[in-house]
Amino acid sequence: METKAAGMLYNPAAWQVIAVAVIFLVTYAFVITDKINRAVAALAGAFLILVLGILDLRYAFTEAVGWRVIMLLIGMMLLVGILNRAGVIPYIAIKLAQWVKGSSWKIFILLIALTGISSAFLDNVTIMLLVIPVTMSITKLLKLNPYPFIFAEIAASNIGGAATLIGDPVNMIIGSANKQLTFNAFIIHLGPVSLFILIVTIGLFLFVYRKHFKPTHKSKEASELMKLSASSYIKNRPLMIKSVVVFLLTIIAFTLHSALGIEPAAIALGSAALLMVIGLKRKEAEIAFRMVDWGTILFFIGLFIMVAGLSATNWTNQIALVVLQMTSGNVDIASLLLLWISGVASATMDNVPFVTAMVPVIQAMGAELGLSAGQMEPLWWSLSLGANLGSNGTLIGASANVIAAGLALREGKSFHFRAFLKVGAPIALMSLLVSTAYVYFILIP
């Protein structure tokens, strides 16, 4: 068995091939069951890959780790952390609720729409951290059942995250693997179907939970909501203004990054640095650095190294060959098959490690069939849609799902795996069916 790594032919021993598979599966088991911190599990797996000589340290850190993804994540986490510190998202949510005068179904639509749209431009885990506490506060004031709101917000965050390059780590990984998949390309190809699915999802939730949206706009609770001061969420008004301006400039720069010739990762880091220079004092900057989820960053680094180990021992090429045999080398069929494989897999495990593992598989398929970057695009779009939309299937499908459940539990409103499954699985199934039609009729040339 022979593969090529770092420009050199590499001949792994049989025991190394087996060892990589065992390390990867055991690490996956720890990540899925949450028995060990996922960052610790990934780093331990990466360490074993290195210590067993499957990859050398230089190759691991110069070639295996997707530094574009890492830098983009760090930059966006800094930006979002400062936005959070300024209180922008809670302020908007309260203002929207007051704008509709406490009408329960209007608040529902606005919060879900805000969650979905915000998740297209901000990390959806952060959106959960911002939106769920506001939702719990509003539903408590109006004495509403919070579960329809929470379930719909989880779904909306994953759907919205599918629309752009920066909406979800999954898309960042895919974009890093193919430079032709720019910020604009994601919006053009995945934005329309994501928006359509979001609208359908809101409609389905309104229908299923129609009895829960009782008239509240004239109630005592609505009156209390109207008295709530949205401005109290803004702790630093100058910082709020600066953070909003810099964030909007960042989105514009993402849109124009191809014309500007600047990588999205550089834009994110540059924007974060600019905001910290003009908006934060020295001690505040140190606080901002603590807002970065370094556990997630280390998790990605470990995961990249483990996946490179799979590639170096030819596992990804073998998986690619199996998919090719199943589809007889037909890219159209392969795209649809990949959509459903990624959808089902992402419902049963965290979608980030799954997509990280699938990237070299798709690259190997393209090389095997001699496909150009343009011809491979339907495969990438299918992977993105399946991984993002399928993660609504279960409570462990995405980090945002678990975060939302934890926040609800903190407020004394816990819900179990099966409760979410009854709602999430039909939404995931509907999303995948719509995506199947969209991929077949629109994305496949």
Side-chain angles (χ1 to χ4, degrees):
M1 190 178 293
E2 189 175 81
T3 60
K4 194 172 183 180
M8 299 173 59
L9 289 177
Y10 173 70
N11 299 285
W15 68 267
Q16 288 177 314
V17 176
I18 297 171
V20 168
V22 171
I23 291 168
F24 197 79
L25 291 173
V26 170
T27 303
Y28 250 106
F30 281 126
V31 170
I32 294 169
T33 58
D34 204 26
K35 294 291 184 182
I36 297 178
N37 178 282
R38 67 175 187 170
V40 174
L43 288 176
F47 169 75
L48 291 174
I49 295 288
L50 295 173
V51 80
L52 293 176
I54 295 162
L55 293 178
D56 64 65
L57 190 64
R58 181 179 178 181
Y59 176 75
F61 282 92
T62 58
E63 300 291 335
V65 177
W67 289 111
R68 288 186 180 87
V69 174
I70 299 299
M71 294 298 104
L72 184 59
L73 274 174
I74 292 174
M76 291 308 296
M77 284 179 178
L78 285 169
L79 275 177
V80 170
I82 298 171
L83 280 168
N84 183 22
R85 185 172 178 79
V88 175
I89 300 296
Y91 174 86
I92 293 173
I94 296 297
K95 280 294 185 182
L96 287 174
Q98 292 175 336
W99 181 50
V100 297
K101 303 187 187 313
S103 171
S104 59
W105 67 271
K106 289 180 181 178
I107 289 174
F108 176 84
I109 292 175
L110 288 173
L111 282 175
I112 308 315
L114 175 65
T115 301
I117 294 169
S118 298
S119 294
F121 301 102
L122 302 174
D123 177 73
N124 51 14
V125 170
T126 302
I127 292 299
M128 290 292 98
L129 290 169
L130 294 172
V131 173
I132 296 296
V134 174
T135 300
M136 298 302 293
S137 176
I138 292 174
T139 54
K140 185 177 181 180
L141 277 171
L142 297 176
K143 296 184 179 178
L144 295 170
N145 180 359
Y147 298 124
F149 290 80
I150 296 171
F151 294 162
E153 285 164 354
I154 291 172
S157 73
N158 291 318
I159 294 168
T164 69
L165 173 65
I166 61 171
D168 191 277
V170 161
N171 287 0
M172 296 180 196
I173 294 168
I174 294 171
S176 179
N178 187 339
K179 290 184 179 180
Q180 287 195 357
L181 305 183
T182 62
F183 186 84
N184 289 352
F186 268 92
I187 291 179
I188 292 169
H189 290 88
L190 302 188
V193 68
S194 298
L195 179 60
F196 177 78
I197 291 172
L198 179 62
I199 293 170
V200 173
T201 298
I202 292 174
L204 288 174
F205 271 98
L206 283 173
F207 176 76
V208 172
Y209 290 104
R210 59 191 181 279
K211 294 181 180 179
H212 293 273
F213 298 112
K214 57 185 180 181
T216 56
H217 59 285
K218 295 181 181 180
S219 66
K220 176 184 175 182
E221 292 79 15
S223 178
E224 291 179 7
L225 173 64
M226 297 304 293
K227 293 177 183 178
L228 195 63
S229 174
S231 298
S232 64
Y233 286 84
I234 304 299
K235 300 176 182 178
N236 187 329
R237 189 167 294 275
L239 178 60
M240 179 198 73
I241 295 170
K242 291 173 183 177
S243 61
V244 170
V245 170
V246 171
F247 178 73
L248 292 175
L249 290 175
T250 303
I251 298 303
I252 293 171
F254 278 138
T255 306
L256 301 174
H257 82 89
S258 296
L260 295 173
I262 305 175
E263 292 272 0
I267 292 171
L269 282 175
S271 298
L274 173 63
L275 184 54
M276 293 173 76
V277 168
I278 66 174
L280 301 180
K281 297 177 182 178
R282 180 177 176 179
K283 289 186 178 179
E284 290 176 326
E286 292 172 357
I287 294 172
F289 284 125
R290 291 199 292 270
M291 293 176 185
V292 175
D293 186 354
W294 294 109
T296 296
I297 299 300
L298 292 173
F299 172 68
F300 272 100
I301 291 173
L303 203 56
F304 277 125
I305 293 172
M306 285 195 299
V307 171
L310 285 174
S311 182
T313 50
N314 211 32
W315 277 105
T316 52
N317 286 341
Q318 293 303 316
I319 295 171
L321 288 173
V322 171
V323 175
L324 286 172
Q325 290 171 357
M326 290 176 64
T327 60
S328 302
N330 187 308
V331 178
D332 297 353
I333 297 174
S335 297
L336 297 175
L337 180 63
L338 184 62
L339 172 70
W340 283 90
I341 289 174
S342 58
V344 172
S346 295
T348 55
M349 65 183 72
D350 192 293
N351 54 12
V352 169
F354 172 77
V355 169
T356 306
M358 286 303 296
V359 163
V361 171
I362 293 177
Q363 291 171 331
M365 287 176 61
E368 197 73 31
L369 293 174
L371 301 175
S372 66
Q375 291 173 320
M376 289 178 64
E377 282 195 13
L379 295 171
W380 295 118
W381 301 137
S382 293
L383 177 62
S384 175
L385 287 171
N388 281 291
L389 302 176
S391 62
N392 279 326
T394 69
L395 194 57
I396 62 171
S399 300
N401 306 15
V402 179
I403 291 293
L407 291 169
L409 177 62
R410 190 183 302 171
E411 297 291 333
K413 297 290 183 180
S414 63
F415 55 90
H416 299 290
F417 187 94
R418 284 193 296 177
F420 183 79
L421 182 67
K422 291 177 182 178
V423 178
I427 294 296
L429 180 60
M430 176 276 294
S431 301
L432 291 173
L433 288 171
V434 170
S435 297
T436 300
Y438 185 75
V439 170
Y440 184 77
F441 291 107
I442 305 297
L443 296 183
I444 294 177

